[in-house]
Amino acid sequence: MEDALNKAIHTMQEEGAEFCDARYEDRWGLIISVSNRELRNLSTNRIAGVGLRARIGGSWGSCSGGRFDPESLREMARKAVRAARSGDCPGTPIPEQPAHTGKFQMKVRVPPANVPVEEKLAMVKDLDEAQHISDRIVNTNAIYSESKRTTVLVNSFGSRLRWEDGRLRLNAIAVARENGRMESYREGLAGSKGMELIQQRDLNEMGVSAAREAIVQLGAVKPPSGRVTCITDPEISGLLAHEVMGHASEADEVVKRRSFLTDRIGQVVADEQITMVDDGTLEGGYGTMLFDDEGTPASRTVVIKNGVYNSYLHDLETGASMGVPSTGNGRHEDFGRRVWVRMTNTFFEAGDWKLEEMLEDVKFGVLTDKFVNGMEDPVGGSFEAKAHRGFLIENGRITRPLRAMTLTGKALDILHTTDAVGDKVSMDPGTCGKGTEDHVPVSSGGPYCRSQIIIGGD
Amino acid sequence: MEEVKLDAVTLAHMALDAAGKAGATQAEAFAVRSVTKSVYVDDTRIKICEEKEDQGIAMRAMKGKRLAQVSSTAVFENDAVACAKVATLLADRSPSSRTYDRFPLPSQATLSPGPWDDRIESAEAANLIELVKATIGTVAERGVKVPRGVLRVATIESTILNTNGVDVSHRSTLMYANYDSMAEGTSPGEGVVSFNSPWLEDYAPESLGERLAQQALSARDAKALDGPVKGTVMIAPWELGQMLATSIMPAVSAESVYKKRSPWAGMEGKQVASEKLTIVDDPSDRRGLLSAAYDDEGVPTSVKRVVEKGVLKTYLYDSYNSSIDRKVPSGNGMRRRPQDAQYLFRSSLACAPVNMVVSPGRRPPEEIISSMDEGVVVDRFAFPTVSPYTGAFSLEVRSAHIVRNGSTAGHIKHALVTGNMFDGLKNIVEVGNDATIAGDTILPSIAFDGFEVVGSR
């Protein structure tokens, strides 16, 4: 395959590409889902194909497909270059990069392929069964997915790489109903690990917890609205890191001055307790990679250091525009979609507060629990995060569960009000889109953080 | 010997044959080929031109009541045969379904084939670039940038075969665009406009550009809302479409009903919404991106009045969910999506509407606004989703305007609109007549009472 891709590189260069790369990907996945004690999905899926990119000036042409015989590849290479000539973007040439070569494999202790599908099926059925703890639980769901990917990448700087990586995910989602009211709760785990990730967790406890907490939510009340003292849990802290500070740190937004963080390097943007990192090398993280999709080794980038803005995230192109090296953040959803600057594992680092200490000082406030979703706003710098639920804090104590709520406000205003940062970081997996599509696996997280945030909910 | 590249229909036949030889008692092959052409905009320039082609098969195999699916990119005979063999092997390991024992039987379609636009099929990058440049040019003339955008056209050709004799083919076209606009200033304003249609002629670059520019300029001039606003809340079609996609669509799916997580379970024949609301699943509508004579299991589709004058008339059934209560499948087993044609073979079947159409009212939004004493008109939320279990939502407003005494009294941003969609549907003030294609829903603006608008300062 490397040789075939190399020929495509030569064709694109002959046709006039100033920079070009060619990648082959074979992506395979297994999904098992059980709902209400019935198997609903036992399936595998595979996409395989080649994606070619050619750059002329600041414009790209790209061509992809599932046919990769020499004749098809030659034609695709010509099409990619022709397409690149159609664009009209000015751009800085991508400077010569070190050529990376070799074969690499993400290390896991128990490869999922070594575990028979019957065993995985039994595990998912057990997780579904564990949720049946009460008549009030009307719907149970257990979903397992695993994926593996083989990538071969060749580029015009001489890189010839082959690597393999994979991910696992297991979720329990229980729905409780009483007197016409429904609530749900989820428990999950995920990472770029092998089956050891799942073997470390008591799945019965995981299923029971999802069901028990769904029932607790039946007694939840409407959250308060307005600006309150809010202790964000690691998932919501992570959403703040990812959605607002992270997306606005993607350098393609900075190059076109669409980010509210443009020209902020060296400036104080948060309380000095805040340090934020994007780390594609984080062991076992759901967004962890060996290389990004341009063949740049994954790296750790300190975005905010002790409240001072430190670095943007780069792919090859934005690095060239701003005269810095790529940070290994050029990613794509698959070989048939665009590569651009994307996050990996994004989080706030730990401070030194215990959660109990944070609670003690709060007369009236909210503690959030788990995210539903969030949305970036690199232009305005505002924050929108939906929390699955929360707890009311009154006179330093948690008093009652709250229904789902939305947290909003200007991110920098929030970070300047952060007066306590917890001492433990935890990460949660997700899938991140940019705009409305191009979803890549990421994780985000942080410690509990105490800030002033506007909330509202029904 | 060099392998021979094969078309999707031939591969589907090969896969079906191979599944039988591997021991499947029943098998189904969904084979699809798509060609997608896209142009991406970056900072008001043409950044990427892209062409992509994919072809693959989703193979469902059954052994008795044991079912499994394997899907794969498929170009050669080996791809199709491997799919069939592995699906059959996987079915061996699957537990038996309680009720599902048969793929659909062949049946004659009553509706016409879905929309196909020859102009989309023949569109070249140069044609798309021309449309994109006309759009971003209109925006730029108003002093507004287009930081990013995409215009995409695609053709999709699919075939569904099963061992019960289903043998149907379908082809369709889609066009999708999504642009961000940005008006610079000390507090920049941003707009987002999306477009979806199966027809190239529906794409009107100048009016789309005008809307993009207007949204960004209004957002730049907008003020953060301080206090609460009482009264009516009118929501624009694209935003409302996403809210309904996460509330009504799952509520009428038999999958949610049988899983007991639909708030409308047990409500057939009952009033669930205002009499002003009628919703039809209409696979015959030529505006529908997924409109087709057959669903993605090969079951004939039909026009169904899902909600009529506020009364829930029926749920939607694919073949699996219809087996639970011995219903007839309603032609709602879907794999295709309205905005993206790639790797459709990889999707699992979902029990979902084909083309949900909200019946329009009589008056345009401007006239409805002129009748409002006080309220808010929302052009754009940050992420307009609703809890499918409870209907609750709390959404950050990115662009809206306040209405007082029938006139616009200023633009706002950074407010929260909170409420419950299932309650809101019972409190519809008026349905507009500005029907818009928003993904797999065609709907107008709707004005509601009972939602709260709170300031986020």
Side-chain angles (χ1 to χ4, degrees):
Chain A
M1 181 53 72
E2 284 88 340
D3 289 342
L5 296 181
N6 220 20
K7 282 180 186 165
I9 293 288
H10 288 315
T11 305
M12 288 191 279
Q13 286 177 315
E14 282 164 15
E15 296 286 321
E18 294 162 5
F19 167 79
C20 54
D21 57 18
R23 56 187 57 71
Y24 164 81
E25 278 186 2
D26 193 328
R27 290 168 174 253
W28 181 90
L30 167 69
I31 299 172
I32 304 172
S33 77
V34 173
S35 179
N36 289 3
R37 299 186 168 117
E38 168 102 340
L39 177 76
R40 279 301 283 125
N41 193 350
L42 173 59
S43 66
T44 67
N45 57 78
R46 174 180 171 259
I47 57 169
V50 166
L52 307 181
R53 290 196 309 169
R55 187 172 191 258
I56 296 175
S59 291
W60 295 87
S62 116
C63 194
S64 66
R67 299 168 195 237
F68 31 87
D69 54 284
E71 184 193 336
S72 298
L73 279 177
R74 233 183 342 264
E75 182 53 28
M76 285 167 66
R78 289 188 184 122
K79 275 187 181 174
V81 177
R82 269 204 305 275
R85 289 192 198 288
S86 309
D88 60 1
C89 262
T92 310
I94 296 171
E96 189 78 20
Q97 304 285 318
H100 299 287
T101 56
K103 294 181 181 178
F104 303 87
Q105 186 158 25
M106 196 170 267
K107 289 186 177 60
V108 297
R109 260 180 276 164
V110 185
N114 292 359
V115 177
V117 71
E118 289 88 343
E119 204 172 302
K120 293 167 185 165
L121 190 52
M123 172 187 80
V124 180
K125 286 169 75 175
D126 288 348
L127 182 59
D128 177 75
E129 188 60 40
Q131 297 168 52
H132 291 270
I133 61 167
S134 157
D135 291 344
R136 286 179 289 178
I137 296 296
V138 293
N139 177 223
T140 55
N141 300 276
I143 307 138
Y144 169 84
S145 65
E146 70 180 59
S147 64
K148 64 177 182 184
R149 173 177 74 148
T150 300
T151 305
V152 180
L153 185 134
V154 175
N155 71 19
S156 54
F157 295 133
S159 284
R160 285 170 76 105
L161 282 167
R162 175 184 281 263
W163 72 89
E164 288 178 21
D165 55 15
R167 289 177 174 80
L168 281 188
R169 196 163 188 174
L170 182 66
N171 278 316
I173 304 165
V175 182
R177 185 170 197 153
E178 189 173 52
N179 299 326
R181 181 167 164 197
M182 266 194 296
E183 290 287 349
S184 67
Y185 199 75
R186 70 170 160 83
E187 290 283 0
L189 43 93
S192 56
K193 289 186 176 178
M195 294 301 284
E196 68 274 10
L197 174 76
I198 292 170
Q199 289 163 353
Q200 287 160 3
R201 176 105 191 234
D202 178 343
L203 296 188
N204 185 62
E205 180 277 328
M206 181 175 161
V208 168
S209 172
R212 186 184 57 231
E213 296 306 313
I215 292 170
V216 166
Q217 277 312 95
L218 291 170
V221 297
K222 181 176 175 169
S225 58
R227 184 185 298 271
V228 297
T229 300
C230 186
I231 300 178
T232 53
D233 67 297
E235 289 198 16
I236 296 290
S237 299
L239 212 55
L240 176 57
H242 174 98
E243 292 294 349
V244 195
M245 303 308 288
H247 276 293
S249 297
E250 292 168 338
D252 56 316
E253 307 287 17
V254 178
V255 168
K256 56 194 169 199
R257 307 191 72 79
R258 184 174 180 255
S259 166
F260 72 97
L261 293 173
T262 305
D263 300 330
R264 290 284 196 149
I265 286 182
Q267 293 185 12
V268 174
V269 294
D271 184 90
E272 65 180 6
Q273 294 183 74
I274 299 288
T275 291
M276 183 184 136
V277 174
D278 181 83
D279 188 354
T281 68
L282 186 73
E283 191 189 343
Y286 201 63
T288 297
M289 322 169 296
L290 294 167
F291 298 90
D292 73 0
D293 295 310
E294 296 182 311
T296 305
S299 73
R300 174 187 163 91
T301 306
V302 178
V303 177
I304 301 170
K305 189 170 177 58
N306 300 330
V308 178
Y309 195 79
N310 185 63
S311 177
Y312 303 119
L313 306 175
H314 291 283
D315 61 8
L316 287 175
E317 183 171 63
T318 64
S321 294
M322 298 181 76
V324 295
S326 168
T327 51
N329 288 88
R331 302 185 67 190
H332 64 189
E333 184 176 330
D334 57 61
F335 62 90
R337 300 184 204 254
R338 74 184 296 184
V339 178
W340 52 350
V341 185
R342 309 303 303 273
M343 283 169 272
T344 59
N345 305 296
T346 313
F347 54 94
F348 291 120
E349 288 203 313
D352 50 14
W353 287 66
K354 304 274 183 222
L355 175 59
E356 300 73 36
E357 294 169 343
M358 288 190 200
L359 287 164
E360 271 172 20
D361 298 344
V362 181
K363 284 195 172 162
F364 182 84
V366 164
L367 169 67
T368 63
D369 181 33
K370 292 198 186 294
F371 75 75
V372 179
N373 56 43
M375 191 64 182
E376 82 257 33
D377 180 20
V379 174
S382 67
F383 174 51
E384 193 216 53
K386 293 190 183 84
H388 188 80
R389 68 170 180 180
F391 296 94
L392 196 64
I393 308 167
E394 292 173 295
N395 299 316
R397 295 170 59 116
I398 289 172
T399 53
R400 58 200 310 186
L402 302 171
R403 296 202 292 257
M405 69 194 82
T406 296
L407 293 81
T408 187
K410 290 277 190 181
L412 296 186
D413 293 349
I414 293 169
L415 291 177
H416 280 297
T417 67
T418 304
D419 65 355
V421 176
D423 59 356
K424 275 188 204 148
V425 173
S426 68
M427 303 295 293
D428 286 282
T431 317
C432 167
K434 190 154 171 166
T436 57
E437 45 195 21
D438 291 311
H439 293 92
V440 295
V442 295
S443 73
S444 58
Y448 286 98
C449 293
R450 190 174 66 193
S451 314
Q452 299 298 310
I453 303 180
I454 295 150
I455 64 169
D458 187 57
Chain B
M1 197 171 75
E2 192 176 325
E3 285 188 285
V4 180
K5 291 176 269 183
L6 297 168
D7 65 87
V9 178
T10 307
L11 290 167
H13 280 283
M14 285 174 165
L16 209 61
D17 189 44
K21 286 177 183 160
T25 51
Q26 294 179 67
E28 175 196 83
F30 172 85
V32 62
R33 176 178 182 269
S34 71
V35 177
T36 304
K37 293 170 187 167
S38 308
V39 172
Y40 292 88
V41 176
D42 197 69
D43 216 8
T44 323
R45 302 276 194 149
I46 305 297
K47 180 71 178 173
I48 305 174
C49 295
E50 180 184 84
E51 181 173 331
K52 45 203 183 188
E53 182 185 333
D54 74 81
Q55 179 174 291
I57 288 185
M59 192 75 207
R60 288 201 297 169
M62 219 186 264
K63 291 191 93 171
K65 287 185 176 178
R66 290 171 292 151
L67 173 71
Q69 172 174 304
V70 169
S71 67
S72 177
T73 299
V75 179
F76 303 111
E77 181 178 1
N78 280 351
D79 300 326
V81 171
C83 246
K85 283 184 179 171
V86 178
T88 310
L89 276 174
L90 213 50
D92 264 334
R93 289 157 174 76
S94 169
S96 287
S97 168
R98 286 193 284 263
T99 57
Y100 194 51
D101 61 2
R102 193 170 65 182
F103 291 129
L105 297 172
S107 189
Q108 200 61 40
T110 55
L111 302 181
S112 305
W116 174 269
D117 186 350
D118 289 335
R119 289 180 65 198
I120 284 183
E121 185 189 25
S122 61
E124 296 292 339
N127 307 115
L128 302 185
I129 288 170
E130 197 179 322
L131 292 173
V132 170
K133 283 189 169 173
T135 309
I136 60 181
T138 305
V139 183
E141 281 166 15
R142 287 152 181 79
V144 174
K145 296 202 310 184
V146 180
R148 68 185 183 196
V150 61
L151 175 65
R152 171 184 305 141
V153 295
T155 58
I156 301 144
E157 296 171 90
S158 61
T159 292
I160 303 131
L161 304 175
N162 75 25
T163 47
N164 297 328
V166 164
D167 182 352
V168 301
S169 291
H170 170 74
R171 61 177 196 160
S172 61
T173 47
L174 76 79
M175 186 170 189
Y176 170 69
N178 178 274
Y179 298 97
D180 290 0
S181 56
M182 181 177 162
E184 292 177 298
T186 48
S187 175
E190 194 184 29
V192 180
V193 172
S194 299
F195 167 88
N196 231 175
S197 173
W199 306 100
L200 191 76
E201 67 184 9
D202 287 351
Y203 187 86
E206 285 79 15
S207 70
L208 212 147
E210 281 168 20
R211 279 171 55 211
L212 267 166
Q214 191 53 51
Q215 270 199 17
L217 292 167
S218 298
R220 184 180 62 185
D221 299 336
K223 303 224 168 6
L225 184 66
D226 282 328
V229 177
K230 291 182 178 169
T232 301
V233 174
M234 187 158 82
I235 304 173
W238 263 95
E239 310 303 292
L240 187 59
Q242 292 177 70
M243 295 173 78
L244 298 187
T246 49
S247 54
I248 288 183
M249 288 200 193
V252 300
S253 163
E255 177 88 20
S256 302
V257 173
Y258 290 132
K259 283 183 174 172
K260 299 177 185 170
R261 64 189 193 196
S262 165
W264 284 356
M267 300 289 279
E268 240 175 337
K270 294 183 181 163
Q271 196 82 32
V272 294
S274 155
E275 290 184 356
K276 293 167 185 162
L277 186 72
T278 291
I279 301 175
V280 181
D281 184 36
D282 189 355
S284 72
D285 194 312
R286 72 183 295 280
R287 298 168 297 174
L289 285 141
L290 305 181
S291 285
Y294 293 92
D295 72 1
D296 295 335
E297 295 185 285
V299 175
T301 56
S302 59
V303 178
K304 293 164 291 288
R305 298 185 86 73
V306 179
V307 175
E308 186 167 26
K309 293 186 176 173
V311 176
L312 178 64
K313 305 299 277 188
T314 186
Y315 302 118
L316 305 175
Y317 297 89
D318 61 357
S319 68
Y320 172 84
N321 286 291
S322 67
S323 76
I324 294 172
D325 227 2
R326 298 183 183 283
K327 300 267 187 186
V328 176
S330 58
N332 290 94
M334 300 301 291
R335 293 181 192 268
R336 290 172 297 123
R337 303 182 295 269
Q339 289 159 4
D340 188 354
Q342 275 191 284
Y343 320 128
L344 295 173
F345 54 89
R346 191 165 56 163
S347 312
S348 293
L349 271 161
C351 181
V354 179
N355 181 40
M356 200 70 110
V357 182
V358 176
S359 300
R362 288 180 298 105
R363 300 200 296 168
E366 299 74 26
E367 281 186 33
I368 298 173
I369 290 167
S370 70
S371 308
M372 286 165 58
D373 292 332
E374 185 171 15
V376 170
V377 178
V378 179
D379 294 320
R380 194 160 70 85
F381 285 121
F383 195 179
T385 57
V386 172
S387 164
Y389 307 122
T390 65
F393 65 85
S394 177
L395 304 174
E396 192 209 341
V397 170
R398 291 274 164 95
S399 176
H401 56 273
I402 294 179
V403 176
R404 289 206 177 92
N405 302 318
S407 302
T408 296
H411 288 90
I412 57 165
K413 56 186 173 185
H414 305 318
L416 282 178
V417 177
T418 65
N420 185 292
M421 182 49 75
F422 293 110
D423 292 340
L425 293 172
K426 295 172 186 161
N427 293 302
I428 290 174
V429 176
E430 190 165 347
V431 178
N433 70 355
D434 52 330
T436 303
I437 306 168
D440 48 9
T441 307
I442 299 171
L443 78 170
S445 304
I446 298 182
F448 299 89
D449 264 347
F451 297 158
E452 283 183 52
V453 185
V454 295
S456 61
R457 266 195 177 163

